[in-house]
Amino acid sequence: MSELRYLAPHTLDEAIAAFAAAGSAARILAGGTDLLVQMRSGAVKPGLIVDIKKIAEMTAIEQTADGGFRIGAAVPGAVLSEHPRFGRAWPGVLEAVNLIGSTQVQGRASAGGNLCNGSPAGDSVPALVAAGAMVTLQGPNGRREIKVEDIPAGPGRTNLLPGEILVSFTLPPRPKGASDAYLRMIPRTEMDIAVVGVGVNLTIKDGVCTAARVGLGAVAPTVLLVEAAAKALIGSKLDDAALKAAASACSAACRPIDDKRGTIVYRTKVAGVLLKRTVAIAAARAREN
Amino acid sequence: MNVISNNKWIGQRTIRPDGADKVTGRAAFAADTNMPGMIWGKVLRSPHPHARIKSIDTSKAEALPGVKAVVSARDIVDFPVDKSVMLGIQDMRWMCRNVMAREKALFPGHPIAAVAATTEAIAAHACELIEVDYEVLPWSIEIDDAIRPDAPILHDFLTFEGKPSNIAGKLEVKKGDIEQGFREAEVVIERSFSTRPVHQGYIEPHACLVSVGADNKTTIWSSSQGQFMVRAMTAYLTGIPQSDIRAIPAEIGGGFGGKTIVYLEPLATLLAKKSGRPVKMVMTREEVMRATGPTSGSKSTVKIGAKKDGTIVAAQGTFWLQAGALPGSPIRGAVGCSFSPYDIPHVLAVGFDVLSNRSKVAAYRAPGAPIGAYAVECVLDELAEALRMDPLELRLKNAAKQGTKAAFGPVFPRIGYIETLEAAKAHPHYTAPLGKWQGRGVASGFWFNAGGESSAQVNITEDGNVVVTTGHPDVGGSRAAIANICAELLGIDYKRVSVLIGDTATIGFSNLTGGSRVLFASAIVVTQSTDKIITTLRERAAKIWEIDPEAVKWENGAAHPASPNAGQFEPLTLAELAAKAPVMGGPIGAGVQLNTEGAEGGFGTHICDVEVDPELGIVRVIRYTAVQDVGRAIHPGYVEGQIQGGVAQGIGWALNEEYIYNKSGKVDNPGFLDYRMPVCSDLPMLDTVMVEVPNPKHPQGVKGVGEVPLVPVMAAVANAIHNALGKRFYSLPMSPPVVLEGMEDPEIRQAAE
């Protein structure tokens, strides 16, 4: 029978030292809503668990000097939704984070865990990709910042270096006329995993879309940034032709598999449908800002 | 309608006796029981769909520190395949091979051996150390693959039409002359359908704790739908006499038919016997999904012929039901129930029991009947369309009623099917406007219901209150309903009646909770027991008053002198008579044991509205009304709950639930995340209409209510989708990818515009 050690350090340095020293036997515990389930099913048997919830930076939400937000990697969805300003600036990111699990799970589950779990179907990831979020990583060799879309490496895998911990997300300031939205397709109404997920972030000025980013989940080994879809939207008045082109770009970007959650044909079609619906929501929100 | 309305407790929504314990976490389910010295049992399961077991070497597992016992098929009593030994609906030949693989592993998840060790982790590790030499065999999962001429045969000793076959049985129900019937028909509709196996989905996994004494006296705590079934099955499979086994029923966290069978109890008993320690076993959800239940998947063909005026003259159905790896699919429910709501002169229904390499099916809420009704009620919908008749009118025109001879045998007494159709037709739901991409469907259903053996003991406590003990696990409100009945009969507050479920040593034999039989049967034995007590109470009062017992009446919880002594004595209450019991003849109590008869079938008619998302293929049920003849609703809240529960399960079956198999013949979605039962937010409020046509053969008019509500649902949903799209789906589930693919049919959009 293998032994399991549990640490809950108060500083990032302590956490990194222990995590790096234990190598591949170690796992980071934020909300634990993936890790504990994986352990219970026997899928992982860690020798060390490093609980990061006692590290202040990991659970803080701050508004940055330029008007953006920095969100600790272990901030639970429920805490994020109670923040007085975050949801107004980033309603799409918030609704995506709040889709991770049930109400009970929301008390624990974090965007950081959702990203590091490496699932192509993680709900918060397409919205954060669309948002243009950056992540701060810290490891034995110091800090670095990379784009959210560069974290996933494949199902269950990330590009984090050995000993690195995801510290926080940074979201840029919001110009006037900007907003975002996230929609996912699930066969049920809740308690399910995305068959397709679409995050759209856009800016509208004088009725014209001046900036857009589209994140697409559950249709490829990693969450995708669909630049062709964004291009189709930018410069348009989000008319039917632009939406159709963006939808086609999303469908074209899909590299899905047939599995128990959906077929290739279904996922490819639905990616386009959801793109149109998500743009409509994001645009309606943007016009009010 | 003949509704009794002057009752004080019958028909009241009394507080459920198990409610406080359940909402505060005090209720003890099977996994909540622990004992000093207890160890843990785990099962090694076959990774293969089909394999001959050449040898099992348990020596390494036995040598692992902490391991206290290992058992395999050689420890289980063998029932040779050439002689059937029935226990209820189960054949022990198949049971002994289902609880532990004997000659062959027959499905992935089939138990191969079991280990008991000081911790769960050691037991699980020991299972990995067991060396099994398998000769892997070809396998089949689906019906079509299992009945091909070159299909791999699961059991060489089973033959069909003289040849080894995976068709384990055939059942036929006949009335009139089917060929003559179709010659008379002017409109004939024939269609084929398929359904997937679906799991009962009880939230509580199978669990038990077993302690075996040095003298073999055995105590079993477990979650089941029948402690006497647990006792008998365990006795058969372990060789311990029933008199040495005490089976104590735990509070049950759902069964829906799936706990009318044992999986763990015989294994835990043998492990406890070998180790000398109490053994606890709790299945994981994955084990539940791989190795228990479900109900059958099916394919069927139904053909119905009618005159142009809507008179149905002939109906034929062929139903192929999956049994899983051992015989016993519910073909009786499919062939017996499907056409029973209708008065049809010529009927032929044939069912085939088909084996394949998947887990052995277990009962599920009206076993077989929903499968048959799905096909029949969809064909009736098409028939109504072809005849340009309202679908409820078509059913009314052909409805079974008092005097109709059902194809499966009996002549119906007074039944309430027509009343359900009329109530559905008159309900505002039936004529409410529908929007774009919305549709409405109706369907009916029938279930046999059951009587059978029940025992009750009713005792008056020294302080004049009442304890009722019955022998049936309460899955649907039987304790609350029995308290209502007993309080009504005794004329006392229902809070003074405690209803308990006895174990096999403390109450007489009671058949399991199933077939919607429990309240029907236990109300009879409780009523008779209570009547005996009332007789005793009148005798006691007569003795005190020194008058004739015939001149004492029992009213409002007290004995009153009747004519010619009316008014001569102060009434004697139950409490006063209880206090005087020691000097007036001793303790007051009565028990009755009966094989109850007179359970009459139940009928329901449902109306379902759906809305289809044409771009995503998602179907949502947006309104649902279930009308049912419930006999007499002793506790209306529970009856409504039963109806709503059945409908919820049917909507899951219709829209999303299915076992998904991977290429190696294993279930790929063995959990509630990907086996998609509906969650609360998937369903609208499920409206219920209780039609009360009392059962003339029951003291309170009770009919079984728990199973009927699942029977019509899939057809109601399918008919509603057809109404919304103008296109019909002939397979379940009608899940988003299937519906979206169907949306490509160019006629659909036109129909919906």
Side-chain angles (χ1 to χ4, degrees):
Chain A
M1 299 294 104
S2 56
E3 193 179 286
L4 171 60
R5 283 189 306 137
Y6 169 85
L7 288 180
H10 288 265
T11 69
L12 200 47
D13 288 340
E14 282 176 79
I16 288 163
F19 184 52
S24 63
R27 287 287 183 284
I28 297 293
L29 174 77
T33 58
D34 285 310
L35 179 64
L36 299 184
V37 176
Q38 289 161 5
M39 285 170 63
R40 216 183 141 91
S41 74
V44 296
K45 287 174 185 163
L48 171 70
I49 287 177
V50 181
D51 184 344
I52 54 168
K53 288 193 290 295
K54 292 202 163 74
I55 303 168
E57 187 181 1
M58 311 285 278
T59 56
I61 307 171
E62 309 166 33
Q63 205 146 9
T64 52
D66 61 2
F69 281 90
R70 185 185 293 274
I71 301 159
V75 171
V79 172
L80 196 60
S81 73
E82 284 171 8
H83 191 275
R85 291 176 304 282
F86 182 80
R88 264 180 278 162
W90 295 101
V93 171
L94 183 62
E95 66 199 355
V97 171
N98 288 160
L99 281 173
I100 308 167
S102 63
T103 302
Q104 293 90 332
V105 168
Q106 277 288 303
R108 287 270 161 178
S110 64
N114 202 218
L115 180 60
C116 290
N117 189 47
S119 165
D123 281 305
S124 66
V125 185
L128 285 163
V129 166
M134 298 294 291
V135 299
T136 301
L137 304 172
Q138 189 166 328
N141 299 321
R143 277 203 177 208
R144 60 179 181 134
E145 292 220 343
I146 68 170
K147 295 171 184 165
V148 164
E149 56 267 33
D150 292 336
I151 294 283
R157 294 184 295 118
T158 69
N159 289 315
L160 268 63
L161 299 173
E164 259 184 343
I165 295 177
L166 173 61
V167 179
S168 61
F169 297 90
T170 307
L171 284 90
R174 291 306 247 166
K176 196 172 156 39
S179 196
D180 66 340
Y182 175 77
L183 279 182
R184 64 174 181 178
M185 192 283 155
I186 52 171
R188 289 188 288 212
T189 46
E190 54 182 281
M191 306 296 289
D192 218 330
I193 284 188
V195 176
V196 178
V198 177
V200 172
N201 174 30
L202 47 73
T203 307
I204 296 176
K205 198 176 173 192
D206 302 329
V208 175
C209 177
T210 57
R213 285 173 66 89
V214 175
L216 188 55
V219 296
T222 62
V223 171
L224 305 173
L225 173 69
V226 190
E227 288 174 345
K231 257 185 210 158
L233 299 173
I234 295 168
S236 81
K237 294 191 163 177
L238 304 179
D239 49 282
D240 287 349
L243 290 174
K244 204 175 164 194
S248 301
C250 280
S251 293
C254 293
R255 286 177 280 123
I257 51 168
D258 277 328
D259 72 359
K260 60 191 172 187
R261 293 182 182 139
T263 60
I264 292 170
V265 174
Y266 185 76
R267 286 180 152 128
T268 306
K269 266 189 208 169
V270 166
V273 174
L274 284 194
L275 181 278
K276 290 185 197 175
R277 294 184 183 186
T278 315
V279 167
I281 297 167
R285 288 171 179 167
R287 287 187 187 106
E288 283 174 16
N289 283 350
Chain B
M1 268 174 272
N2 177 22
V3 178
I4 308 150
S5 56
N6 60 348
N7 286 313
K8 187 152 185 222
W9 297 109
I10 290 176
Q12 292 300 308
R13 295 165 190 263
T14 48
I15 304 275
R16 51 193 289 176
D18 51 327
D21 276 358
K22 282 183 177 159
V23 299
T24 58
R26 185 171 172 265
F29 294 89
D32 291 329
T33 309
N34 295 300
M35 278 187 88
M38 182 183 93
I39 59 174
W40 290 84
K42 280 277 174 197
V43 176
L44 172 69
R45 296 178 183 277
S46 169
H48 304 295
H50 197 190
R52 194 171 308 284
I53 301 167
K54 293 164 78 177
S55 67
I56 302 176
D57 182 352
T58 59
S59 53
K60 284 183 187 157
E62 281 165 58
L64 185 72
V67 170
K68 301 293 179 190
V70 180
V71 299
S72 64
R74 59 176 174 268
D75 300 289
I76 307 269
V77 175
D78 186 14
F79 288 81
V81 295
D82 51 3
K83 187 166 169 267
S84 174
V85 178
M86 294 304 292
L87 183 69
I89 59 168
Q90 301 297 347
D91 187 324
M92 295 312 297
R93 289 179 293 172
W94 317 138
M95 281 306 300
C96 83
R97 283 164 178 77
N98 196 50
V99 297
M100 197 65 95
R102 191 156 282 275
E103 303 83 3
K104 293 202 286 188
L106 297 165
F107 59 92
H110 201 170
I112 303 296
V115 177
T118 48
T119 70
E120 259 186 298
I122 294 173
H125 184 49
C127 285
E128 293 167 10
L129 298 178
I130 295 173
E131 289 167 2
V132 187
D133 186 6
Y134 293 106
E135 178 194 342
V136 176
L137 301 169
W139 46 269
S140 60
I141 301 290
E142 303 299 341
I143 294 173
D144 285 339
D145 296 332
I147 60 178
R148 279 197 333 251
D150 60 342
I153 299 296
L154 272 75
H155 306 291
D156 298 333
F157 50 86
L158 290 175
T159 57
F160 185 73
E161 292 173 347
K163 281 178 289 192
S165 172
N166 289 325
I167 298 175
K170 180 182 174 184
L171 184 67
E172 202 172 87
V173 154
K174 239 193 231 182
K175 179 184 169 188
D177 175 348
I178 194 66
E179 282 168 22
Q180 175 60 27
F182 282 112
R183 275 196 295 274
E184 291 169 16
E186 292 167 329
V187 181
V188 175
I189 307 273
E190 180 175 3
R191 296 286 183 265
S192 293
F193 301 84
S194 69
T195 69
R196 308 295 291 162
V198 290
H199 199 269
Q200 295 81 350
Y202 31 82
I203 301 300
E204 180 198 28
H206 298 266
C208 68
L209 169 66
V210 180
S211 170
V212 181
D215 55 359
N216 272 353
K217 300 280 188 204
T218 301
T219 310
I220 302 173
W221 291 264
S222 75
S223 170
S224 80
Q225 287 174 241
Q227 61 274 46
F228 291 90
M229 176 277 299
V230 169
R231 180 178 74 175
M233 290 254 178
T234 306
Y236 268 115
L237 295 170
T238 61
I240 300 172
Q242 289 193 28
S243 52
D244 280 355
I245 299 176
R246 181 177 182 190
I248 301 175
E251 198 63 66
I252 180 169
F256 312 107
K259 290 180 183 166
T260 58
I261 187 169
V262 295
Y263 299 99
L264 298 177
E265 289 90 338
L267 310 185
T269 300
L270 291 168
L271 289 169
K273 194 175 161 184
K274 266 197 180 178
S275 65
R277 305 272 289 268
V279 173
K280 183 165 177 169
M281 298 182 84
V282 181
M283 280 196 198
T284 62
R285 178 67 53 194
E286 184 176 337
E287 288 179 293
V288 171
M289 296 302 287
R290 290 200 192 286
T292 75
T295 192
S296 308
S298 72
K299 52 179 239 167
S300 54
T301 299
V302 166
K303 180 178 172 186
I304 298 179
K307 298 279 196 191
K308 280 180 184 154
D309 70 351
T311 307
I312 299 172
V313 288
Q316 184 170 0
T318 308
F319 306 96
W320 305 77
L321 268 62
Q322 285 172 327
L326 293 154
S329 69
I331 44 179
R332 176 177 162 264
V335 300
C337 295
S338 304
F339 298 113
S340 287
Y342 308 104
D343 187 359
I344 305 171
H346 307 289
V347 175
L348 176 63
V350 184
F352 294 97
D353 188 26
V354 184
L355 298 160
S356 68
N357 296 101
R358 52 201 317 165
S359 57
K360 171 178 162 56
V361 299
Y364 180 26
R365 221 165 183 157
I371 290 169
Y374 163 60
V376 168
E377 297 289 316
C378 284
V379 171
L380 283 179
D381 205 53
E382 290 200 46
L383 183 63
E385 197 180 20
L387 293 166
R388 298 179 188 284
M389 272 182 89
D390 175 275
L392 288 179
E393 285 298 337
L394 174 65
R395 287 170 173 83
L396 268 170
K397 190 171 178 68
N398 295 284
K401 51 189 175 293
Q402 185 166 5
T404 299
K405 182 170 170 29
F408 72 93
V411 174
F412 287 127
R414 175 82 174 88
I415 54 174
Y417 178 46
I418 287 174
E419 284 83 349
T420 70
L421 291 166
E422 283 171 345
K425 217 176 117 192
H427 196 283
H429 181 173
Y430 195 55
T431 46
L434 287 165
K436 199 179 170 190
W437 299 114
Q438 296 180 348
R440 176 168 300 141
V442 299
S444 295
F446 167 81
W447 173 247
F448 305 117
N449 290 330
E453 304 93 332
S454 281
S455 302
Q457 175 70 32
V458 181
N459 290 330
I460 306 300
T461 58
E462 295 100 298
D463 60 356
N465 293 315
V466 186
V467 176
V468 181
T469 308
T470 67
H472 309 293
D474 175 4
V475 299
S478 55
R479 279 172 292 191
I482 288 165
N484 282 3
I485 289 171
C486 195
E488 187 76 48
L489 296 171
L490 284 169
I492 59 172
D493 192 296
Y494 92 103
K495 286 182 194 152
R496 292 173 59 189
V497 184
S498 282
V499 184
L500 307 177
I501 298 152
D503 65 59
T504 56
T506 57
I507 187 71
F509 178 77
S510 299
N511 210 327
L512 52 74
T513 296
S516 300
R517 61 174 297 268
V518 167
L519 187 61
F520 169 84
S522 49
I524 293 175
V525 287
V526 168
T527 298
Q528 293 190 9
S529 302
T530 309
D531 284 346
K532 284 188 181 182
I533 285 175
I534 291 172
T535 301
T536 303
L537 292 166
R538 287 169 52 224
E539 286 167 0
R540 298 285 170 92
K543 205 167 159 189
I544 292 165
W545 293 329
E546 296 178 341
I547 62 174
D548 191 279
E550 292 305 310
V552 179
K553 61 180 179 178
W554 187 262
E555 249 177 31
N556 295 323
H560 299 260
S563 60
N565 311 94
Q568 289 184 12
F569 308 101
E570 281 299 303
L572 281 164
T573 64
L574 180 58
E576 288 164 342
L577 288 166
K580 290 181 199 298
V583 294
M584 297 305 297
I588 305 168
V592 169
Q593 295 181 280
L594 276 180
N595 192 1
T596 62
E597 290 178 348
E600 288 302 332
F603 296 86
T605 298
H606 293 189
I607 312 168
C608 172
D609 289 1
V610 298
E611 182 171 306
V612 182
D613 182 328
E615 293 180 315
L616 298 179
I618 296 175
V619 176
R620 299 267 183 247
V621 174
I622 54 172
R623 187 171 181 183
Y624 204 101
T625 305
V627 186
Q628 188 171 322
D629 169 21
V630 301
R632 180 81 179 97
I634 304 298
H635 191 295
Y638 263 119
V639 175
E640 290 164 354
Q642 285 286 326
I643 296 173
Q644 291 170 322
V647 172
Q649 289 185 311
I651 290 172
W653 194 341
L655 295 181
N656 276 311
E657 289 180 40
E658 64 177 320
Y659 280 67
I660 300 164
Y661 278 80
N662 65 18
K663 285 178 186 148
S664 53
K666 279 180 90 167
V667 176
D668 199 24
N669 58 335
F672 283 152
L673 182 58
D674 291 304
Y675 180 86
R676 294 191 176 91
M677 295 171 66
V679 298
C680 273
S681 54
D682 292 342
L683 303 173
M685 183 63 191
L686 302 170
D687 293 317
T688 58
V689 177
M690 294 181 288
V691 171
E692 294 192 297
V693 178
N695 179 355
K697 300 175 184 170
H698 190 273
Q700 285 85 25
V702 169
K703 283 176 191 165
V705 299
E707 290 169 288
V708 173
L710 178 55
V711 182
V713 185
M714 286 90 75
V717 175
N719 292 342
I721 294 174
H722 172 254
N723 183 242
L725 300 177
K727 178 185 173 66
R728 186 171 291 280
F729 293 91
Y730 292 95
S731 299
L732 301 182
M734 296 173 286
S735 60
V738 173
V739 173
L740 192 64
E741 198 184 337
M743 293 302 297
E744 293 189 353
D745 189 332
E747 284 176 24
I748 286 186
R749 276 161 206 274
Q750 290 161 13
E753 294 300 324

